[in-house]
Amino acid sequence: MSSVLGTYARKDISFSEGKGSYLFTEKGEKYLDFVQGIATNVLGHCHNHLVKTIQEQSKKLWHVSNAFVIPEQERLAKRLTKNTFADFVCFQNSGTEATEAGIKIARKYFHKIGQSEKNRIITFKGAFHGRTLAALFAANNPKHIEGFGPKIDGFDQVPFADHEAIKKAINKNTAAIMIETIMGEGGIKVVPDFCLKGLREICDEHGILLILDEVQSAYRTGNFFAFEKSGITPDIVPIAKGIGGGFPLGACLVTKKVSVGMTPGSHGSTFGGNPLAMAVGNAVLDIIFEKDFLNNVKKKGEYFDNNLNKIKKKYPKIISEIRGVGLLKGLKMVVDNVEFIKKLMDLKMLTVKAEENVIRLFPPLTVSDKELDEATDKIEKVCKAMS
Ligand SMILES: *Cc1c(COP(=O)(O)O)cnc(C)c1O
């Protein structure tokens, strides 16, 4: 019997090595990995540049307290702000901490400007913001919150995509609207550009903040952030998963205006932003910022989309919809998603489920067309077997 607390329904398989798009078992069985630690290993397994970086940094310095200036942290923050809407970054270790930091920053902003009655955040049904208490009750997923009361107050939830409900929910106590630009766990539901623009307008009209949770979508859509193609500017953006390329790393990005409440002592993290994590975060950016890298993600996303749509057309009784942007893809299934995932695994391909009977596909951003074809092939084989 395992001594690990049983909080996961694990598959009875483990891996001993990974390279790029593939995972290998002890016995040498090779799996095409389109889970990638749930959208986390953006450069695939054991990318040479990351391996080299972590080796070198591990000989120099692992961890120092945030009581001291950390040059690697300064550098990553500078690169993240120079290339985005943000003016400041606070580093964490995970996505849930990043969203919690976002919630804290929003509340503290209004406190600082003398409007501390504005402390409630509007969130959406089907959202996922992580597993710490505030993030749990922000998303309010009945399956996740059961038994974890008392409820953390301060969140008002509305149905997804219901602009009227949002307007109705806003009152004098509203501080912010928080939404995932692409709802990941909820089933790869993309918030369309016109909705993002609509949300920005509502926020401006009421003097409240827009928090876009990009923990799952950052770097993955062919833009640096998924919201960028809409042209809007958010106030606060939590990121994690992909930004560490497989190393635990989270961050919360914020504008100068909204940062004013976050003075020394107002927030902290022992590990957040340590030299080892920062070296890896910088190394991931080295690759992401290479000329045409993100453009190629877009192209590969379109190529994969084309493949998947062909299958969908051929097997409309198996797959009903192709969702997602870039290399963040979801297949909405007509047949049971879990059964399909199991059959893909028999063909040595790994995928992960989401709500709404969706299968998520997270190839590494370094995936080749040939590997995308291999994935397409396996998906088509299972469609054929199930029809
Ligand atoms: C995964 C996820 C989180 C939580 O991240 P952890 O690193 O698991 O804490 C938060 N928000 C979104 C959108 C996510 O996909």
Side-chain angles (χ1 to χ4, degrees):
M1 200 183 110
S2 171
S3 301
V4 177
L5 188 66
T7 56
Y8 298 97
R10 297 177 198 271
K11 293 184 176 57
D12 191 19
I13 189 170
S14 58
F15 303 97
S16 52
E17 264 179 72
K19 188 73 201 160
S21 301
Y22 295 95
L23 273 172
F24 301 87
T25 64
E26 202 88 77
K27 283 185 262 169
E29 288 172 312
K30 183 180 178 184
Y31 282 81
L32 181 64
D33 182 12
F34 275 25
V35 179
Q36 291 292 341
I38 311 201
T40 294
N41 312 318
V42 283
L43 305 180
H45 294 281
C46 297
H47 189 282
N48 284 341
H49 184 53
L50 300 195
V51 171
K52 212 169 142 245
T53 301
I54 213 164
Q55 281 173 343
E56 280 167 12
Q57 186 63 42
S58 73
K59 288 181 219 159
K60 282 189 349 202
L61 188 61
W62 291 28
H63 181 78
V64 288
S65 165
N66 276 307
F68 308 105
V69 175
I70 300 174
E72 296 86 353
Q73 194 183 112
E74 298 293 330
R75 176 162 181 252
L76 185 53
K78 202 55 97 196
R79 293 170 91 190
L80 284 171
T81 52
K82 205 177 139 207
N83 290 280
T84 67
F85 75 98
D87 301 301
F88 296 106
V89 187
C90 87
F91 290 104
Q92 311 288 149
N93 311 286
S94 65
T96 197
E97 286 176 318
T99 54
E100 293 249 0
I103 293 163
K104 286 177 74 176
I105 292 168
R107 287 186 183 174
K108 195 66 178 245
Y109 166 67
F110 285 109
H111 174 79
K112 177 80 179 179
I113 64 169
Q115 298 180 37
S116 43
E117 74 282 2
K118 284 188 188 277
N119 53 30
R120 303 190 67 84
I121 295 176
I122 293 173
T123 60
F124 293 82
K125 276 210 175 70
F128 183 76
H129 299 294
R131 299 284 199 149
T132 49
L133 283 169
L136 262 193
F137 285 99
N140 213 34
N141 180 335
K143 276 193 283 189
H144 292 170
I145 61 173
E146 195 196 342
F148 292 122
K151 175 181 168 176
I152 303 287
D153 196 16
F155 303 100
D156 298 304
Q157 199 164 58
V158 298
F160 185 75
D162 187 341
H163 280 211
E164 283 315 304
I166 299 167
K167 280 181 194 157
K168 256 194 226 148
I170 295 175
N171 58 43
K172 67 176 184 0
N173 299 119
T174 307
I177 296 174
M178 178 162 77
I179 190 168
E180 299 158 76
T181 317
I182 298 175
M183 199 180 265
E185 310 293 312
I188 310 291
K189 286 157 78 168
V190 181
V191 180
D193 289 348
F194 77 92
C195 285
L196 287 174
K197 285 182 191 148
L199 287 173
R200 181 71 268 179
E201 275 166 26
I202 292 174
C203 286
D204 289 344
E205 197 180 310
H206 295 273
I208 62 177
L209 306 176
L210 181 59
I211 307 174
L212 294 180
D213 181 344
E214 292 249 1
V215 168
Q216 195 156 146
S217 51
Y219 302 5
R220 202 158 250 291
T221 61
N223 283 307
F224 198 74
F225 291 134
F227 71 78
E228 281 174 3
K229 70 180 176 54
S230 74
I232 65 149
T233 307
D235 299 289
I236 297 171
V237 173
I239 54 177
K241 292 201 167 86
I243 69 163
F247 198 89
L249 179 54
C252 190
L253 280 66
V254 59
T255 59
K256 187 170 179 210
K257 176 187 127 182
V258 174
S259 72
V260 290
M262 303 308 283
T263 48
S266 62
H267 189 59
S269 165
T270 298
F271 288 119
N274 85 6
L276 199 52
M278 294 296 94
V280 181
N282 272 307
V284 172
L285 275 193
D286 293 342
I287 309 287
I288 301 284
F289 284 155
E290 273 177 4
K291 194 172 173 296
D292 283 337
F293 185 89
L294 287 175
N295 219 7
N296 279 330
V297 170
K298 205 174 286 172
K299 278 190 204 149
K300 283 179 211 170
E302 280 160 16
Y303 179 80
F304 199 28
D305 219 39
N306 210 20
N307 280 355
L308 295 171
N309 269 299
K310 274 185 205 149
I311 305 180
K312 188 201 87 175
K313 226 180 216 164
K314 209 161 149 191
Y315 297 98
K317 290 196 175 116
I318 307 281
I319 301 173
S320 62
E321 198 185 330
I322 311 298
R323 293 180 175 179
V325 186
L327 291 174
L328 181 78
K329 289 269 187 277
L331 307 177
K332 179 151 173 64
M333 307 305 290
V334 182
V335 297
D336 181 50
N337 60 345
V338 174
E339 196 185 335
F340 198 97
I341 287 170
K342 208 162 155 273
K343 287 197 155 64
L344 273 176
M345 208 166 142
D346 291 340
L347 293 181
K348 306 257 186 299
M349 176 173 169
L350 306 172
T351 56
V352 58
K353 68 175 178 170
E355 292 297 316
E356 300 198 348
N357 204 31
V358 165
I359 297 173
R360 283 179 290 172
L361 304 170
F362 295 127
L365 308 183
T366 49
V367 72
S368 68
D369 284 358
K370 196 165 152 259
E371 288 161 351
L372 290 174
D373 288 344
E374 187 187 333
T376 307
D377 232 43
K378 289 181 198 274
I379 292 166
E380 182 157 12
K381 276 206 181 94
V382 176
C383 286
K384 198 170 167 194
M386 285 182 87
S387 51

